[in-house]
Amino acid sequence: MLSRAALREHLIHSRIAGDIATSRENNLDHYSSLANQDPYYMLGLTFEQRWTFRDVLALMAKAAGVVADPGHRWGQDTIDPERTIDALDAMADRIAAVLSRERPRVLFATGHPTGLLAIHLPLARLALECGATILTPAEGWTYSGSGFGRPRRIRYLGDVAMLDEKGAFVHTHDSAPMEHMLAELGDTRPELVIADHGWAGAAGEAGVPTVAFADSNDPGLFVGEAEGKIDVVVPLDDNVLPRYYTPLTERLVTRVTRAL
């Protein structure tokens, strides 16, 4: 496992954190959309208070390390690598606490299979090795939602839920799949959901303990964390080359293993 300093350098070099690929314009556009309560950006969550654009920006500066100045409208934005590492460690501690129980029920899902699947797969293997029951509800459930034309269905790879469209795993913000999965599980709900995007938002909204990964342009989960619906959110660029996530994943796995 890399030292904290070495991991910080890796996060910056790979642009998982530091100067990220997501533009400032894109971030601010998404913050405005969330403030306007666009369901696509709420990721299945509802909020107890009214979050204005400036509220969302201030939260993202605090939680993810984006530039706090509202006058910075274009160009480069950032994620603070120190916040990424702190949140990773908090996530690892939360996962370890659940995996220390007798056959805990855990559910994994990702809306970003081209990136974050690289983290979810090793975590799912670790949970299985630790004796967890990995839940895989609603496999094959098919639906059609707004914003896409073809039907999509829930499919699992290595016990990680994703959406499949005509044989390809696809990016999604949708909360409907997780909502359906939890409804199918009924009283056998997971004791922990490890997810992102709408999968995480729907779980947190339903009161299921949830830890999540989120990019700087996905503020909904950070608002969910601020309101106590999501336990931990790790800020990171969610679509760099999958191999770049290896040191980050190793830190998670090592910290969980040592805590057990």
Side-chain angles (χ1 to χ4, degrees):
M1 182 180 74
L2 294 179
S3 67
R4 184 182 179 104
L7 178 58
R8 181 182 187 279
E9 290 306 309
H10 170 76
L11 294 174
I12 293 170
H13 177 74
S14 63
R15 301 185 73 182
I16 293 173
D19 290 342
I20 51 174
T22 308
S23 70
R24 179 65 168 187
E25 299 94 311
N26 184 263
N27 277 344
L28 297 186
D29 177 70
H30 288 202
Y31 302 168
S32 178
S33 295
L34 182 65
N36 290 327
Q37 300 184 357
D38 184 329
Y40 184 80
Y41 298 98
M42 294 177 73
L43 301 172
L45 289 157
T46 61
F47 305 130
E48 296 176 2
Q49 70 179 65
R50 180 78 168 87
W51 289 80
T52 67
F53 168 79
R54 285 185 175 255
D55 291 335
V56 176
L57 176 58
L59 174 65
M60 293 303 296
K62 178 181 177 181
V66 304
V67 176
D69 180 9
H72 178 54
R73 307 289 303 179
W74 302 276
Q76 184 66 56
D77 213 338
T78 60
I79 291 176
D80 183 351
E82 297 293 342
R83 288 174 171 83
T84 301
I85 297 172
D86 287 345
L88 275 175
D89 290 349
M91 175 183 280
D93 293 346
R94 185 72 188 92
I95 294 171
V98 173
L99 293 184
S100 65
R101 302 171 189 168
E102 179 97 17
R103 295 194 64 78
R105 298 183 303 277
V106 184
L107 194 157
F108 292 85
T110 182
H112 226 310
T114 58
L116 298 181
L117 180 60
I119 306 176
H120 287 290
L121 286 172
L123 289 178
R125 287 195 296 269
L126 173 64
L128 197 60
E129 291 167 1
C130 291
T133 298
I134 309 300
L135 301 175
T136 56
E139 185 166 27
W141 179 71
T142 303
Y143 78 113
S144 295
S146 60
F148 57 91
R150 300 188 182 99
R152 292 179 171 181
R153 62 179 175 176
I154 296 172
R155 181 175 285 187
Y156 289 85
L157 175 66
D159 294 327
V160 180
M162 289 170 284
L163 283 187
D164 161 80
E165 182 181 299
K166 293 195 71 176
F169 290 124
V170 294
H171 171 267
T172 181
H173 280 213
D174 287 359
S175 59
M178 179 61 78
E179 291 163 357
H180 182 83
M181 289 159 66
L182 294 176
E184 182 176 290
L185 287 169
D187 293 337
T188 59
R189 283 184 166 194
E191 294 165 65
L192 182 67
V193 167
I194 302 172
D196 50 72
H197 292 76
W199 305 93
E205 180 68 20
V208 177
T210 302
V211 294
F213 304 96
D215 208 329
S216 61
N217 64 354
D218 290 328
L221 295 185
F222 293 96
V223 174
E225 181 185 33
E227 292 200 350
K229 291 186 175 182
I230 308 288
D231 293 344
V232 179
V233 180
V234 177
L236 80 181
D237 188 307
D238 60 12
N239 197 33
V240 302
L241 292 175
R243 61 186 172 87
Y244 289 161
Y245 295 112
T246 299
L248 176 156
T249 307
E250 288 177 348
R251 185 178 184 90
L252 274 172
V253 169
T254 300
R255 189 175 177 99
V256 171
T257 303
R258 288 177 177 174
L260 294 173

